[in-house]
Amino acid sequence: MVRGAVALATYALMLVYWLTMAFLVSTLVSIDSLKGYFPRLPELADRNKWLRGLFQYTTPTFVLSVMNSMVPYFLTWMAQASGLQSRSMIQGSVLRRYFGFLIANVLLIFTVSRTVLTDYEKWVENPALIPKLFATNLPKAAPFFMDYIILYALGYYPLQLLQFGSIMPAMLRRLVCHTPRQFADSLRPNSIDWAYILPQPMLVFVIAATYSSLAPLIFVLAAVYYVIAYVVTKYLVYYVYARQFETAGEFIIPVLKLLTGSLWHYYCLIIGLCALNGAIGYVILLFPLLWVNCKE
């Protein structure tokens, strides 16, 4: 029990630290922040729309993805340190915490930080404008999330087929093998880690649902993402990964509950937009859905 409490406190500290880092990164990779180091950058970005898109959407997405890719390894170590022994319990714990981390880091903090920095002076001068500024700026984050989905669909999954992260360490381990057992361990295939595979597709589902009413094109990008993810993951599960244990469908219900419970982002966004536009009737009709979703 003590080890679990310490692990939970460590997770909370890690979450605060990582969210702070995401906030700082979102400020450093923006064109306005880089203007102090490269004075001609805004002028070049105005002339070249591809360069502006690179700094405004692609670079923050790539940096954020690299930061998030290191989190599952830390969560796995923390789950083991908390006293969980079976692989299924460890992966279940990491899956829930990693998904919650992605929701907080990608969908909330990174978007809110960019919104805050965009109109910081207006917030300070007139705090009453905060709800209106959120309602007008949050929909503008849709292109960032579209780029996030495209990056994972066309960049992450093709690299997964190459398996650089497992082939290179295996080749290095073979150079230092001294016994037949060590050599056999170096040839052992990778195991399926659902805590690493599932959270990203779950996050894409929540992003697509959240911005479905504001940017319907995100549905098309999400569909392309899921087609690529299905083909690549199916191939890896069939021919590359080895199963360490059988879940017997144990993760299906928790994953569905996490997905349905995460739709409150969508309800809050739509309720806020309706309230600011004076559609009180829609707000009254949507509030029960928010309550039902929170009960899930």
Side-chain angles (χ1 to χ4, degrees):
M1 185 175 180
V2 176
R3 294 169 65 181
V6 173
L8 185 61
T10 305
Y11 173 72
L13 292 176
M14 185 273 295
L15 186 62
V16 173
Y17 170 76
W18 226 264
L19 296 182
T20 305
M21 292 297 297
F23 183 87
L24 295 177
V25 168
S26 66
T27 61
L28 293 176
V29 298
S30 63
I31 295 179
D32 294 334
S33 299
L34 295 175
K35 182 171 60 177
Y37 304 97
F38 306 98
R40 295 192 58 188
L41 182 60
E43 181 181 353
L44 295 175
D46 291 335
R47 294 179 181 177
N48 192 329
K49 63 179 182 179
W50 298 104
L51 183 62
R52 172 171 287 276
L54 176 66
F55 282 98
Q56 193 169 1
Y57 301 118
T58 305
T59 302
T61 303
F62 177 76
V63 174
L64 186 64
S65 301
V66 172
M67 291 178 57
N68 292 339
S69 64
M70 297 181 289
V71 176
Y73 302 102
F74 176 77
L75 293 179
T76 301
W77 171 83
M78 192 172 60
Q80 295 172 347
S82 65
L84 298 180
Q85 297 181 356
S86 66
R87 292 189 176 96
S88 61
M89 293 178 64
I90 292 175
Q91 290 193 14
S93 174
V94 175
L95 189 152
R96 291 189 297 271
R97 292 182 178 181
Y98 186 36
F99 177 66
F101 171 84
L102 290 177
I103 292 293
N105 194 25
V106 178
L107 194 58
L108 296 180
I109 297 299
F110 202 80
T111 305
V112 171
S113 64
R114 294 170 68 87
T115 304
V116 171
L117 295 172
T118 302
D119 297 298
Y120 175 74
E121 296 180 355
K122 296 180 180 179
W123 290 53
V124 176
E125 294 176 358
N126 190 359
L129 293 176
I130 290 178
K132 186 176 181 180
L133 291 175
F134 260 112
T136 55
N137 287 326
L138 286 180
K140 297 179 182 178
F144 167 79
F145 289 111
M146 291 181 180
D147 201 76
Y148 185 89
I149 295 174
I150 293 174
L151 177 65
Y152 267 89
L154 302 180
Y156 172 76
Y157 282 104
L159 289 178
Q160 282 291 96
L161 291 175
L162 300 177
Q163 290 290 299
F164 280 130
S166 59
I167 293 177
M168 295 303 294
M171 294 177 62
L172 295 176
R173 285 199 302 269
R174 293 175 195 175
L175 298 177
V176 296
C177 291
H178 301 290
T179 64
R181 178 173 295 179
Q182 291 177 347
F183 187 77
D185 289 339
S186 67
L187 297 176
R188 184 174 55 191
N190 285 344
S191 58
I192 301 176
D193 192 348
W194 296 114
Y196 191 84
I197 295 175
L198 292 178
Q200 283 294 346
M202 293 166 62
L203 175 66
V204 172
F205 171 83
V206 177
I207 291 174
T210 302
Y211 286 90
S212 58
S213 300
L214 303 176
L217 181 60
I218 202 169
F219 270 137
V220 179
L221 301 179
V224 173
Y225 168 87
Y226 281 118
V227 169
I228 297 176
Y230 173 78
V231 173
V232 173
T233 305
K234 182 178 179 181
Y235 174 83
L236 294 176
V237 171
Y238 277 5
Y239 302 108
V240 178
Y241 294 146
R243 290 176 294 182
Q244 291 182 325
F245 61 93
E246 291 288 347
T247 63
E250 180 184 351
F251 289 162
I252 294 178
I253 301 301
V255 167
L256 292 178
K257 287 184 177 180
L258 288 173
L259 289 177
T260 55
S262 299
L263 292 179
W264 64 270
H265 304 91
Y266 171 71
Y267 296 134
C268 289
L269 180 61
I270 298 301
I271 289 174
L273 292 175
C274 292
L276 291 173
N277 290 323
I280 305 300
Y282 289 105
V283 174
I284 296 174
L285 293 175
L286 288 172
F287 256 114
L289 293 177
L290 181 62
W291 179 80
V292 171
N293 188 81
C294 293
K295 292 292 288 184
E296 292 291 333

